[in-house]
C-alpha cells in the first residue's frame, strides 16, 4: 500500500538542505543505503536547529531523537546530483515534536520521506523540558514569506 507523500503545513517554515551522494553511501544493491537516510534525517534536523537558534540557546537546549520512520519511494543512484531534503516540524506535545523530512531528486520527485520524533532536553542534565511557544514560533512561517 502506497503511503501519501508528506506535505508541509502552510504555517510551518520549510527548511531546505542540499544532500551529497558519496561513493560510500552506495550499498550492494547499487543505491543509497538505508542507514544513510537515517543519518540524513538527523543531519537535516540538526542543520535546521543550528540555522535558527543562537549558540547560547544551543548550549542550554539539545534534542534527542526518540524514533525515526522512513518510507523509501524511489532509489537514489550512485553519482546522483541535485538531491535535497525539505524539513518542517509538527505540533509540540510537551517536550516532544515530530519533524518531517522529504528527500527529493533533482527533478523534484520524492525519493524518501521520514518522520522523526525528537525530545527537547536540558543540555547539562539531559532531562526533558517542555518546548516553549517562543521556540515553536521560530519554525513558523511569517506573513512576509
Amino acid at each position: 500500500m502506497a503511503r501519501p507523500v508528506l506535505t508541509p503545513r502552510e504555517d510551518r517554515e520549510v527548511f531546505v538542505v542540499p544532500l551529497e551522494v558519496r561513493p560510500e553511501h552506495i550499498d550492494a544493491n547499487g543505491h543509497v543505503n538505508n542507514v544513510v537516510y537515517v543519518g540524513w534525517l538527523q543531519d537535516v534536523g540538526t542543520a535546521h536547529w543550528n540555522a535558527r537558534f543562537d549558540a547560547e540557546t544551543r548550549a542550554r537546549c539539545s534534542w534527542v531523537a526518540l524514533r525515526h520512520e522512513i518510507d523509501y519511494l524511489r532509489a537514489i543512484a550512485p553519482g546522483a546530483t541535485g538531491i535535497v531534503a525539505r524539513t518542517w516540524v509538527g505540533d509540540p506535545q510537551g517536550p516532544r515534536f515530530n519533524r518531517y523530512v522529504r528527500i527529493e531528486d533533482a527533478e523534484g520527485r520524492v525519493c524518501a520521506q521520514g518522520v522523526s520524533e525528537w525530545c527537547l532536553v536540558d543540555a547539562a542534565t539531559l532531562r526533558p523540558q517542555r518546548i516553549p511557544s517562543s521556540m515553536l514560533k521560530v519554525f513558523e512561517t511569517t506573513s512576509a514569506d
Side-chain angles (χ1 to χ4, degrees), residues 19-33:
L19 301 174
E20 179 184 5
V21 177
R22 298 193 301 255
E24 61 269 24
H25 293 163
I26 306 305
D27 65 16
N29 294 318
H31 54 70
V32 174
N33 187 275

Side-chain angles (χ1 to χ4, degrees), residues 2-55:
R3 296 192 187 228
V5 172
L6 295 173
T7 304
R9 290 173 39 168
E10 290 184 18
D11 63 337
R12 295 291 190 256
E13 173 194 39
V14 176
F15 188 76
V16 180
V17 178
L19 301 174
E20 179 184 5
V21 177
R22 298 193 301 255
E24 61 269 24
H25 293 163
I26 306 305
D27 65 16
N29 294 318
H31 54 70
V32 174
N33 187 275
N34 62 320
V35 174
V36 174
Y37 286 94
V38 173
W40 282 344
L41 262 60
Q42 181 164 317
D43 293 347
V44 168
T46 300
H48 193 191
W49 168 249
N50 289 341
R52 296 295 175 255
F53 292 90
D54 61 25

